[in-house]
Amino acid sequence: MKLVGLVGANYEDSYNRKLLAFIRRHFKTQFEMEVLEIDEVPLFNQDQNWEESFQLRLLNNKITRADGVIIATPEHNHTLSVGLKSVLEWLSYQVHPFQEKPVMIVGASYYDQGTSRAQVHLRKILDAPGVNAFVLPGNEFLLGKAKEAFDDKGNISDAGTVAFLETCIANFVQYVKVTKPLQKPKPIAPEDLDATGVLPTTITEVDPDDPDWVEKVAELTGAVSGDTYVKLDHGILTVDQINMFLKAMPFELTYADDNNQFLYYNNAHQDPETMLAKRVPEQSGNRLSTVHNSLPAGRMKNVEWVVGSLRNGNEEYIRTLIPGSTEVLNTHNYQAMYYPDGSYAGINEIVFDFKPWLDWYLQTTGQRLVGGAGSAAPAGHGGADATSGASAAGGQAADSGSADATSGASSH
């Protein structure tokens, strides 16, 4: 479960920030929570373009893709801060990430009553048209005397307070699960599988379907190769080392950008016929419509569903199991990728035979599979077409027949 913690104050020594930091640490085995700030959000002005603010784009994208939100509100003059109110105005005007989103309210203040009045006002705002959040009822966590509440390590000192917080958080986790079926998926716009758009990284001088795309683009851009060092987030490797690292992965890996251009696969097999998702060098750079040009129109719509569902945040990942030999569990995982502001950056796909992993686990633990009925079915977020690897949800019927021999089961 992925949650977002929203700091309702924009000053450095906020006790509500400390409260969210404690929640993130104390409950890290129950869920993943990213704490987000509002300190750079401009005062709401409908004459301005919200997309010009990096922080607003980040908040919109992160909240949209989160399973739930915990808002820590201070109390200023018997109500919430002007900064938090402005954020809620922005995120209920032209975009609506709180729509049907489970939200829990907490708060810390200097005085005995905690942030009780601010929380009442915040509940009303979150219930307003344009916001329409699913606010957890009851479970009012009001941390009073915040100056004395935390120890020098940032932990809440009083065991009774921690126990009550644990009860409230447990209720919210359950609330997120219960409300999930009530959330309506966002409509999926038609996908441009012909990659006609232009991104900052798009090379327009070479046709995407040119079989020599890699070599031509490499020459055009002066792309580095060999023993040239590349600085990554958590290390420094040469291009040769990166290639070796990716080829040694026990998976088939592919990447398509948010313009629906197929940019990379790790080519772990000399013979494409031995791959679970068959790829050939000439496909690198292709439009997704070209990669999947052997698919019938109905299954191309399934490809659009996978890409669109990941793009608009209905799903973070989609998994499917391709039917075939019982000796091979052909598993595909389509994972959304994101730019620094949280917007969609494309899909990475992992394809692998799950059976050796499953056999190893059962042998190591001494467990065995029991029960089960029917053939293997697609799993993960959303129903997927088990024959094409692309989802059949959203009104698209699952297709029977073999997988696309050229592009395999990939959605891109």
Side-chain angles (χ1 to χ4, degrees):
M1 181 179 293
K2 289 191 174 183
L3 304 181
V4 163
L6 189 60
V7 180
N10 54 13
Y11 45 91
E12 290 185 10
D13 294 328
S14 168
Y15 288 103
N16 285 282
R17 184 180 296 107
K18 288 186 177 181
L19 175 56
L20 287 176
F22 173 75
I23 292 173
R24 184 188 64 79
R25 293 193 308 272
H26 191 74
F27 298 96
K28 62 185 177 183
T29 60
Q30 297 185 38
F31 50 77
E32 177 185 337
M33 187 173 83
E34 182 175 2
V35 178
L36 300 178
E37 302 286 348
I38 64 169
D39 57 322
E40 296 180 5
V41 173
L43 192 66
F44 176 71
N45 182 343
Q46 65 187 51
D47 293 332
Q48 296 178 0
N49 182 2
W50 71 275
E51 292 184 288
E52 293 178 357
S53 167
F54 174 88
Q55 197 170 69
L56 274 174
R57 297 200 311 272
L58 180 68
L59 290 170
N60 176 57
N61 288 318
K62 293 289 186 178
I63 292 170
T64 295
R65 301 179 191 283
D67 294 308
V69 181
I70 300 178
I71 301 178
T73 178
E75 184 165 308
H76 295 175
N77 297 327
H78 293 185
T79 190
L80 62 157
S81 70
V82 65
L84 178 56
K85 180 63 164 64
S86 190
V87 167
L88 296 173
E89 294 283 0
W90 281 116
L91 299 183
S92 59
Y93 177 52
Q94 292 182 326
V95 289
H96 308 274
F98 284 103
Q99 178 82 28
E100 298 176 348
K101 186 72 60 177
V103 177
M104 177 182 182
I105 300 173
V106 299
S109 72
Y110 296 144
Y111 305 109
D112 291 345
Q113 72 272 24
T115 58
S116 57
R117 289 164 293 202
Q119 290 198 26
V120 169
H121 290 176
L122 182 53
R123 286 179 181 274
K124 291 180 179 179
I125 293 169
L126 291 170
D127 193 43
V131 188
N132 291 322
F134 289 159
V135 185
L136 176 68
N139 296 275
E140 295 181 334
F141 185 79
L142 311 167
L143 185 64
K145 297 184 177 180
K147 286 184 177 180
E148 296 83 33
F150 296 95
D151 62 21
D152 57 359
K153 295 182 179 179
N155 297 319
I156 297 176
S157 304
D158 183 69
T161 301
V162 173
F164 178 64
L165 177 61
E166 289 173 344
T167 298
C168 294
I169 291 293
N171 289 339
F172 182 60
V173 169
Q174 187 62 29
Y175 185 70
V176 171
K177 297 176 182 177
V178 169
T179 56
K180 180 69 175 178
L182 302 177
Q183 300 170 37
K184 295 184 287 292
K186 295 179 179 62
I188 297 175
E191 281 290 331
D192 175 22
L193 299 182
D194 292 324
T196 59
V198 177
L199 307 174
T201 52
T202 301
I203 307 301
T204 58
E205 293 85 347
V206 182
D207 186 88
D209 292 338
D210 190 319
D212 297 318
W213 183 86
V214 172
E215 295 305 321
K216 290 182 178 180
V217 170
E219 181 178 359
L220 185 68
T221 60
V224 298
S225 60
D227 59 1
T228 301
Y229 285 94
V230 177
K231 183 179 182 295
L232 304 171
D233 282 350
H234 303 290
I236 297 178
L237 299 172
T238 68
V239 177
D240 285 343
Q241 287 174 325
I242 294 172
N243 267 321
M244 288 187 294
F245 179 78
L246 292 172
K247 287 182 178 179
M249 286 286 175
F251 315 108
E252 296 172 16
L253 305 173
T254 66
Y255 167 45
D257 67 13
D258 55 313
N259 193 36
N260 292 329
Q261 186 176 6
F262 179 74
L263 297 182
Y264 172 82
Y265 74 103
N266 64 339
N267 193 21
H269 297 246
Q270 290 184 336
D271 184 355
E273 294 303 314
T274 66
M275 300 179 71
L276 297 173
K278 300 173 181 60
R279 300 290 180 217
V280 294
E282 293 78 12
Q283 288 179 315
S284 293
N286 280 185
R287 302 169 172 92
L288 289 194
S289 58
T290 304
V291 172
H292 291 280
N293 59 13
S294 65
L295 288 175
R299 281 167 60 186
M300 283 294 283
K301 294 299 294 182
N302 295 341
V303 173
E304 284 196 70
W305 183 91
V306 170
V307 178
S309 295
L310 296 174
R311 184 186 297 276
N312 70 11
N314 286 347
E315 313 291 347
E316 183 179 355
Y317 63 84
I318 295 172
R319 292 174 183 156
T320 185
L321 188 64
I322 309 302
S325 169
T326 57
E327 294 303 310
V328 175
L329 297 178
N330 186 351
T331 309
H332 293 235
N333 184 91
Y334 310 100
Q335 192 85 25
M337 297 172 19
Y338 308 108
Y339 289 113
D341 68 354
S343 58
Y344 174 79
I347 299 175
N348 78 66
E349 178 190 15
I350 298 176
V351 182
F352 63 103
D353 178 7
F354 183 67
K355 190 172 187 304
W357 302 70
L358 177 62
D359 291 344
W360 169 84
Y361 175 79
L362 295 176
Q363 182 179 13
T364 301
T365 62
Q367 299 183 59
R368 61 189 179 90
L369 296 180
V370 296
S375 59
H381 288 213
D385 174 9
T387 61
S388 69
S391 172
Q396 304 303 323
D399 237 5
S400 60
S402 60
D404 173 19
T406 301
S407 62
S410 172
S411 70
H412 52 90

